Amino acid sequence: GVGQDITELNREKAELTRIANDLTRLIDYANAPIFGVDQTGRVNEWNRKAVEITGFEKADVLGRVLAEDFITPEFRDSVKQVLDNALEGKGTDYFEFPL
């Protein structure tokens, strides 16, 4: 048989797992609402502060289209534009909208 030392691989995997867990905690416990959307605009992240401010539980928003399901009609187009720009790597310095 062929043997291979995977000690370093396991160490790197453990470090990546630790970093991912740290980032998850940072997002979840941030003192600001943080949400994420995928390429189709569906919510894929919703932290505790977003729950506190909006009253919507994470389980209730995941997979739903943010702009269509949670943004009032008068803000939908501008919110969608900001989200589309962000997904293309174009930043917006400051943008506020009601949830």
Side-chain angles (χ1 to χ4, degrees), residues 29-83:
Y29 290 97
N31 195 27
I34 298 174
F35 62 88
V37 295
D38 64 14
Q39 295 284 4
T40 65
R42 294 186 183 281
V43 177
N44 59 16
E45 183 56 62
W46 195 261
N47 76 347
R48 292 172 188 252
K49 197 61 159 183
V51 171
E52 179 184 322
I53 289 172
T54 67
F56 295 114
E57 292 294 327
K58 185 174 186 173
D60 296 331
V61 299
L62 291 180
R64 294 179 62 186
V65 178
L66 180 75
E68 296 299 319
D69 295 344
F70 300 102
I71 305 300
T72 57
E74 66 270 20
F75 289 96
R76 281 187 189 142
D77 288 340
S78 58
V79 168
K80 185 171 179 349
Q81 185 62 51
V82 168
L83 294 174

Side-chain angles (χ1 to χ4, degrees), residues 14-30:
E15 178 64 7
L16 289 175
T17 299
R18 184 194 64 76
I19 291 170
N21 289 338
D22 287 350
L23 291 173
T24 297
R25 277 192 300 281
L26 177 69
I27 290 170
D28 206 30
Y29 290 97

